[in-house]
Amino acid sequence: MSNNNYTQPDHPFDELFVAVQMSDIFPDSKTFNDYIPKYASELILEKYLQEKNNPTFNLKQFIDNNYTANSIPSNDYKSDTSKPIAEHLSALWSILTREPNQQEQEGSLIQLPSRYVVPGGRFQEIYYWDSYFTMLGLQASGQIDLIEGIIDNFAFLIDKFGYIPNGNRTYFLGRSQPPFFSLMVELLRQEKGDEVLLKYLPALEKEYDFWMKGKNQLTKEKENIAINRVVKMPNGGFLNRYWDENNTPRPEAYKEDVELAEQATENTSEIYRHIRAAAESGWDFSSRWFKDGQNMSTIHTTDIIPIDLNCLLLNLEKTLFKAFLLLDDNFSANKLYNASKLREKTIKKYCYSVEAGFYFDYDFVAQKNTEAYTLAATFPLFFEIANKFQATNVSRIIKDRFLKDGGLITTTTNSGQQWDAPNGWAPLQYITYQGLKSYGFDILADKIKTRWIQSNEKVYLKTGKMTEKYNVETPNTEAGGGEYPNQDGFGWTNGVFLKFLNFK
């Protein structure tokens, strides 16, 4: 899993990197990580150490002299809000698509062999779980070749690193994102047939091995219940958590992480790991990861078994099972079948609360569910592992506690974090919609879809843009929270909107 071909601007957090990140010369901590060095990093650092104490030294000028800004590509495209949004989005795909020959040869960007779609705004690289929801729109637009190219890129990353990084930047190495690769493969299988499963079987196997790394050690060492991303449960089953190979500040949010660690009472390196693990979840950040449900200084992500992650891995196991059946490899198929059945049983045992009638994340350290009401609870419906009674209970709570004028809030907590109320996010509207449809809750599902579409339309008519997230409690108000301003573009919002339009 070597990444020696790439420049990591954060490693080993040299003096120049720290000085830039703590100086506020850029409004966003991600910016410097995406700059492209004009010379070898060692030479730039040596030059900095020689010049930094000069009375006339200017840090911003030094950066400008030694790096090239990786500016967001100029976008002359102007929305015509008199035209339907679908027409706008069809034109927007070409704006958000990156060609391999558009990628810089130095810096933090990991080169990819095929075209791909970026989310937009500050996000000018491919992101793992974003891409599945973007693909839904590409499918609706008939851009199947682009879907296949993106999947090929992810297979390339799996082959190179053993997993799909958070995004194709070197500073994301060490963590992944919610494992949607098997769903991407299924999307393409719908278009091209079963041979797609066989084409990507090696990549699917490698991704599964990544998430299950260390499992065999847990079967032998009874005193250890967790290693890497795997947790051994009291019933003998295995579930998973989010993790990161590193326990240092995130390069793209260095100052924010350092300042947060100063507020926390826990060991600093553990806080960094919890932060990074939450970044791997895609829900960065949310009260679901906080012990007190409000303050990020109480983050404890690696103690938590997320319901959505384990449903995704259950789907990966089922996908591998199907692929092995196609190969008549009954031994491997039976192994994955048994693993999926045990995971399903274990999810229901530890993540469903009979008393509350809802699915929750499970804190395996405290040995109890987190009692955090989040839309992650709808993943068992999306993957159809909930029974009818459980699905009915979940649907009732979704209607009573999550449904707002503009769609679904992400959690029932308003903490100021972006993955909490009052914000709604496209991927979770889609997951919930499909999950409810699977159990016949059509009226509620259609209400969610209609309100979400209307939220998108209101903001589009007002601004000419599709955005990363929406304030669904007061749809005329811009969404907030998080470490950066709301972004426009926006890949997964576009994808889900187009998919929803296709549903009758």
Side-chain angles (χ1 to χ4, degrees):
M1 296 185 191
S2 170
N3 53 293
N4 293 333
N5 296 332
Y6 302 104
T7 303
Q8 292 201 68
D10 62 295
H11 187 73
F13 292 128
D14 61 46
E15 278 193 55
L16 174 58
F17 179 85
V18 172
V20 171
Q21 295 298 69
M22 299 302 288
S23 68
D24 292 326
I25 62 173
F26 298 115
D28 187 332
S29 293
K30 186 178 185 297
T31 305
F32 182 51
N33 289 276
D34 296 347
Y35 268 41
I36 304 163
K38 295 179 181 178
Y39 317 105
S41 296
E42 295 82 3
L43 293 178
I44 296 176
L45 176 60
E46 184 179 343
K47 188 177 178 183
Y48 168 74
L49 294 174
Q50 290 172 351
E51 298 180 10
K52 68 173 185 173
N53 293 322
N54 292 345
T56 58
F57 180 77
N58 181 287
L59 183 58
K60 181 64 168 65
Q61 187 61 53
F62 181 86
I63 296 302
D64 291 341
N65 291 343
N66 290 278
Y67 292 85
T68 301
N70 183 28
S71 58
I72 295 174
S74 61
N75 180 5
D76 298 327
Y77 179 79
K78 300 296 181 185
S79 307
D80 181 353
T81 55
S82 68
K83 295 180 179 178
I85 300 183
E87 191 174 325
H88 162 67
L89 298 184
S90 294
L92 204 56
W93 288 134
S94 62
I95 304 297
L96 296 175
T97 297
R98 299 290 175 268
E99 303 285 343
N101 60 8
Q102 288 179 309
Q103 303 168 34
E104 75 257 17
Q105 298 303 309
E106 300 293 337
S108 62
L109 194 71
I110 298 170
Q111 308 296 304
L112 296 176
S114 300
R115 293 189 303 155
Y116 57 90
V117 179
V118 303
R122 78 197 280 264
F123 303 114
Q124 292 298 312
E125 50 279 314
I126 199 169
Y127 283 80
Y128 181 4
W129 80 307
D130 293 58
S131 296
Y132 171 69
F133 299 96
T134 298
M135 286 177 185
L136 297 175
L138 292 174
Q139 185 186 38
S141 300
Q143 298 211 38
I144 310 306
D145 288 347
L146 185 50
I147 291 174
E148 187 164 17
I150 294 170
I151 297 175
D152 285 341
N153 284 331
F154 286 142
F156 165 82
L157 289 169
I158 290 173
D159 190 54
K160 187 171 188 66
F161 299 110
Y163 62 99
I164 301 172
N166 185 143
N168 63 320
R169 292 280 181 186
T170 54
Y171 50 81
F172 288 142
L173 293 175
R175 69 173 181 265
S176 186
Q177 270 196 331
F180 273 84
F181 186 65
S182 60
L183 281 87
M184 298 176 188
V185 171
E186 171 58 26
L187 200 67
L188 189 60
R189 189 198 66 79
Q190 293 170 10
E191 301 291 334
K192 294 200 166 188
D194 286 345
E195 67 272 12
V196 169
L197 273 179
L198 302 182
K199 175 183 176 181
Y200 296 106
L201 177 57
L204 289 163
E205 286 186 273
K206 283 184 180 179
E207 173 159 75
Y208 187 62
D209 289 344
F210 165 76
W211 287 97
M212 301 309 294
K213 182 182 176 183
K215 174 187 171 183
N216 291 339
Q217 290 174 248
L218 295 180
T219 60
K220 296 172 185 175
E221 301 173 11
K222 292 183 179 178
E223 65 272 18
N224 289 339
I225 61 169
I227 185 171
N228 303 320
R229 292 166 175 81
V230 189
V231 182
K232 185 177 182 181
M233 304 303 291
N235 73 335
F238 292 90
L239 294 179
N240 290 76
R241 63 177 175 176
Y242 289 112
W243 184 255
D244 192 301
E245 307 302 321
N246 304 300
N247 61 356
T248 53
R250 291 169 298 151
E252 76 280 11
Y254 184 86
K255 183 179 182 181
E256 294 87 341
D257 288 0
V258 169
E259 291 177 347
L260 178 68
E262 291 172 353
Q263 303 170 25
T265 56
E266 198 169 339
N267 179 284
T268 300
S269 63
E270 288 306 305
I271 284 293
Y272 293 143
R273 179 104 60 191
H274 291 316
I275 293 170
R276 284 171 169 268
E280 182 170 80
S281 79
W283 291 45
D284 44 342
F285 291 96
S286 168
S287 59
R288 73 184 286 204
W289 312 126
F290 306 162
K291 280 184 182 177
D292 69 359
Q294 282 290 336
N295 298 297
M296 193 165 162
S297 58
T298 67
I299 192 168
H300 67 135
T301 319
T302 67
D303 298 342
I304 294 171
I305 290 169
I307 179 63
D308 44 357
L309 169 61
N310 283 281
C311 289
L312 286 161
L313 289 171
L314 175 61
N315 186 70
L316 176 53
E317 289 167 340
K318 289 181 175 179
T319 303
L320 287 168
F321 167 71
K322 292 176 192 173
F324 287 128
L325 282 184
L326 287 173
L327 288 175
D328 293 322
D329 183 348
N330 292 327
F331 175 80
S332 297
N334 287 336
K335 186 177 176 182
L336 268 298
Y337 176 83
N338 292 334
S340 68
K341 285 300 177 185
L342 181 55
R343 185 185 293 272
E344 183 174 335
K345 177 183 175 182
T346 307
I347 287 172
K348 288 180 177 178
K349 180 175 177 63
Y350 295 100
C351 295
Y352 183 76
S353 168
V354 175
E355 294 77 18
F358 206 64
Y359 281 95
F360 296 100
D361 299 329
Y362 185 81
D363 183 336
F364 71 89
V365 176
Q367 298 184 8
K368 63 178 183 178
N369 74 56
T370 63
E371 300 181 356
Y373 282 82
T374 81
L375 285 184
T378 64
F379 277 70
L381 279 65
F382 181 84
F383 289 109
E384 299 183 36
I385 68 170
N387 61 40
K388 181 67 174 180
F389 177 73
Q390 293 168 344
T392 300
N393 287 334
V394 170
S395 70
R396 174 179 50 80
I397 293 173
I398 293 299
K399 180 182 178 182
D400 293 345
R401 303 186 64 168
F402 287 83
L403 183 60
K404 304 298 178 183
D405 289 346
L408 298 171
I409 51 173
T410 308
T411 76
T412 58
T413 300
N414 191 331
S415 68
Q417 298 295 337
Q418 63 175 352
W419 286 86
D420 279 319
N423 291 343
W425 296 75
L428 300 178
Q429 313 296 315
Y430 177 78
I431 292 290
T432 305
Y433 170 86
Q434 289 286 62
L436 292 168
K437 280 283 186 179
S438 297
Y439 290 84
F441 301 111
D442 292 354
I443 294 175
L444 177 57
D446 289 337
K447 192 174 289 185
I448 292 166
K449 179 187 74 171
T450 299
R451 292 186 184 185
W452 180 254
I453 286 174
Q454 289 173 347
S455 284
N456 290 180
E457 288 173 339
K458 283 179 182 177
V459 172
Y460 176 72
L461 289 172
K462 187 177 180 180
T463 67
K465 296 177 180 179
M466 303 289 278
T467 58
E468 176 191 27
K469 56 186 179 282
Y470 293 80
N471 183 328
V472 296
E473 290 188 352
T474 51
N476 290 322
T477 305
E478 185 176 349
E483 300 173 306
Y484 53 86
N486 196 12
Q487 303 295 301
D488 60 79
F490 193 88
W492 65 15
T493 306
N494 306 347
V496 169
F497 185 91
L498 289 172
K499 190 70 172 178
F500 274 167
L501 287 187
N502 275 13
F503 291 138
K504 304 302 179 187

